Amino acid sequence: MWEYLLLSAISGFAAFKLALILYRRRTYPEPHYDWNHIKTDSLSFPDGFYWGSATAAHQVEGNLTNNWTVHEERKNLEKSGAACDHWNRWKDDFQMMSDLGLNSYRFSIEWSRLEPEPGQWNKKALDVYSEMIDDLIQRGIRPVVTLHHFSHPKWWEEKGGFANQDNLPEFLAYCERVFDALSDRVETWVTINEPTVFSAMGYTLGMFPPGKRSIRLTLRVMRNVMRGHAIVYRSLKKKQPGARIGVAKNVTLFDPRNRWSPIDWPLSRLLEWLWNGAWRNGIQKGRMLFANIPEAKDSLDFVGLNYYTHFLTGIFIPTRGELQFPKRKHEVATEFGYPMYAEGFRRAIEFVAPLNVPIEITENGVADAKDSLRPEHLMRHLWIVSEAINDGFDIRSYHHWSLMDNFEWAEGYSMRFGLHHVNFETQERTIRPSGELYRDIIAAN
Ligand code: IFM
């Protein structure tokens, strides 16, 4: 009798588990393509598509003093120092973009250059950005300006930065000032780069400034970053209703490391909600992480999508020291450690599509010093974009990260993302084969 009961219990449990797995597979599939049978060079892009590359001020300009340089000192990290000396070499770097045939360039403005002390405004530095914009336009390259890409003045960080809601008016004042000076020529603006990366890396994992580790603080910063974006959006739109203003959202996908595990799956859903879902909710509903932020509702004219990888989630995720990235057996690990998973790019596009605004790919690329993976990485990801456009997604641009090797934050100069190799001793730039490939694709499309 008890054998019969045991058998029924086991088969009941197995049936329940199978049903659960089938349900999850249907609801949250994790597709993997057989890339050997996909012709990734069969691409088609519409007229008017923007081909671009992206950089950020702290990563390329050189010789800055801001929250990041403080963090580099404090944590004894590799120093950003002269970076790519782009502040002095921007004309040559723009020529490299012309040589690639680019018609769009995403870059960021360094607040700490413009306002090194509260209220002290550096007009000369703003003039340099203004000259850059004139030069880009003359070259037929659309400037896409990011107002905050991870770095801000030391004095603002000392006051708590985004951790303190009272600081947001200063952020707004800086953005307005830049907008007033440049919006006669710049149409497309990104308020904040990768809000969740900024919040989680700085306040949960402690790898970005201010190096804190507090979930409570992370949630507060996430909300304030959303508030910051929203007030800037509202104010700039009032000044110029025709401006196109968005956010660059890093959509990392979270998949259960073990799809049979009753723990990995809910954990992956929770992390994906915190990383992506909560943010999208903020924009769609004006409510984020249990707070009402009504001004955030519909505060996008386009959504910037930064896509790199998926993260396989299990209970043993180390949150101290080096981040570790599990991968599926057949996946190739990139130099950063995380897997190349181009299939996820399509999922990321589908994730932002319900926002019902045009999509700009504001970043996509790979760390690969020897350029052995980048050509294939580029082809696969461009194929995904091309397919998505053909399937009706409104994607307007692709910006490769990055134009050239640069300072990769906590990883210093060890991670090379460039279409151009940079010799940091001599500042010599050399195009990589993937750069030539990108140039040829642009020419053909
Ligand atoms: O270098 C970074 C960039 O600043 C933000 N998005 C990801 C890139 C590569 O890690």
Side-chain angles (χ1 to χ4, degrees):
M1 171 67 179
W2 66 267
E3 282 120 322
Y4 172 75
L5 282 177
L6 188 68
L7 211 64
S8 323
I10 291 173
S11 39
F13 179 72
F16 171 71
K17 184 97 198 182
L18 192 67
L20 201 66
I21 282 165
L22 288 176
Y23 168 74
R24 286 175 195 162
R25 287 250 154 117
R26 270 181 66 109
T27 335
Y28 299 103
E30 182 195 321
H32 288 269
Y33 306 160
D34 179 357
W35 288 100
N36 293 324
H37 291 101
I38 293 180
K39 278 179 59 54
T40 53
D41 57 353
S42 124
L43 302 170
S44 82
F45 288 88
D47 282 348
F49 188 77
Y50 283 107
W51 293 99
S53 69
T55 64
H58 186 74
Q59 295 180 269
V60 297
E61 285 185 1
N63 300 315
L64 293 165
T65 305
N66 56 24
N67 60 328
W68 256 95
T69 51
V70 171
H71 184 71
E72 290 159 22
E73 282 293 337
R74 195 180 291 151
K75 295 269 173 170
N76 205 15
L77 297 174
E78 189 169 8
K79 310 287 174 286
S80 48
C84 303
D85 192 29
H86 177 71
W87 192 247
N88 298 308
R89 296 168 191 262
W90 59 266
K91 276 205 173 136
D92 297 339
D93 293 338
F94 288 5
Q95 184 55 45
M96 285 181 343
M97 293 197 290
S98 293
D99 293 344
L100 289 180
L102 304 186
N103 59 359
S104 187
Y105 174 49
R106 172 176 175 236
F107 65 105
S108 74
I109 304 281
E110 179 60 35
W111 181 5
S112 69
R113 250 191 213 291
L114 298 185
E115 199 177 1
E117 297 297 333
Q120 201 184 91
W121 198 253
N122 182 345
K123 162 106 178 40
K124 271 199 184 139
L126 188 56
D127 289 345
V128 175
Y129 286 121
S130 180
E131 262 183 72
M132 287 184 187
I133 283 158
D134 287 339
D135 195 274
L136 287 170
I137 291 170
Q138 255 176 21
R139 291 171 183 279
I141 299 176
R142 171 186 73 154
V144 176
V145 173
T146 305
L147 289 161
H148 187 277
H149 192 124
F150 296 163
S151 55
H152 49 242
K154 253 167 76 167
W155 58 264
W156 200 64
E157 182 82 341
E158 279 156 17
K159 299 177 72 182
F162 280 108
N164 186 347
Q165 197 178 335
D166 295 343
N167 293 339
L168 295 182
E170 280 151 353
F171 175 59
L172 173 64
Y174 146 73
C175 293
E176 285 176 334
R177 213 154 167 172
V178 174
F179 189 83
D180 288 345
L182 308 179
S183 63
D184 55 336
R185 287 152 294 152
V186 177
E187 190 193 19
T188 306
W189 296 82
V190 171
T191 54
I192 294 177
N193 179 67
E194 299 184 344
T196 323
V197 174
F198 173 83
S199 313
M201 294 296 281
Y203 295 85
T204 307
L205 297 172
M207 292 170 76
F208 280 16
K212 303 230 158 115
R213 295 175 59 84
S214 152
I215 301 280
R216 197 178 48 85
L217 212 48
T218 307
L219 299 181
R220 189 199 297 167
V221 171
M222 282 170 80
R223 290 186 207 106
N224 285 344
V225 168
M226 178 62 90
R227 289 188 180 105
H229 155 74
I231 56 169
V232 171
Y233 177 85
R234 298 286 161 217
S235 157
L236 305 190
K237 286 299 276 188
K238 206 179 265 171
K239 285 175 183 283
Q240 231 183 81
R244 297 178 71 240
I245 302 172
V247 166
K249 167 71 184 132
N250 172 309
V251 175
T252 295
L253 304 161
F254 291 82
D255 287 318
R257 183 171 185 170
N258 175 357
R259 292 185 76 80
W260 295 83
S261 156
I263 295 166
D264 295 2
W265 183 77
L267 196 62
S268 73
R269 300 326 319 139
L270 174 69
L271 288 179
E272 183 146 327
W273 177 74
L274 280 170
W275 192 272
N276 301 322
W279 174 82
R280 191 175 65 180
N281 233 33
I283 302 288
Q284 286 181 314
K285 305 200 175 124
R287 193 171 164 71
M288 187 194 194
L289 298 165
F290 317 109
N292 285 325
I293 311 178
E295 63 279 21
K297 188 169 172 348
D298 299 328
S299 59
L300 290 182
D301 301 313
F302 68 89
V303 54
L305 173 60
N306 293 3
Y307 176 75
Y308 288 89
T309 193
H310 68 160
F311 189 77
L312 300 184
T313 315
I315 27 173
F316 302 110
I317 316 172
T319 64
R320 276 184 191 279
E322 289 272 293
L323 278 182
Q324 287 178 23
F325 303 99
K327 62 175 194 63
R328 302 277 178 230
K329 269 203 205 89
H330 67 277
E331 286 178 337
V332 178
T334 66
E335 241 158 66
F336 219 111
Y338 49 71
M340 166 163 75
Y341 177 56
E343 296 86 329
F345 203 1
R346 173 63 180 241
R347 291 167 63 193
I349 291 167
E350 286 171 5
F351 172 80
V352 293
L355 291 166
N356 284 323
V357 287
I359 301 168
E360 301 255 0
I361 307 299
T362 34
E363 281 183 33
N364 172 243
V366 63
D368 179 21
K370 297 209 173 91
D371 210 41
S372 47
L373 185 60
R374 192 175 292 102
E376 192 178 345
H377 188 279
L378 181 66
M379 292 308 298
R380 286 189 189 184
H381 287 78
L382 286 180
W383 181 82
I384 296 277
V385 177
S386 162
E387 287 289 295
I389 293 174
N390 289 330
D391 291 345
F393 290 94
D394 183 6
I395 304 175
R396 306 278 174 96
S397 66
Y398 174 86
H399 295 85
H400 191 83
W401 186 274
S402 177
L403 175 66
M404 57 190 159
D405 296 337
N406 56 48
F407 178 74
E408 180 55 30
W409 309 112
E411 278 72 26
Y413 290 100
S414 63
M415 293 296 146
R416 291 178 174 267
F417 277 86
L419 292 168
H420 294 85
H421 170 270
V422 176
N423 176 334
F424 290 105
E425 309 261 292
T426 62
Q427 290 295 350
E428 192 188 347
R429 281 83 156 129
T430 314
I431 191 163
R432 290 199 163 100
S434 54
E436 293 171 338
L437 174 66
Y438 191 43
R439 181 194 62 200
D440 295 347
I441 294 170
I442 296 170
N445 288 276

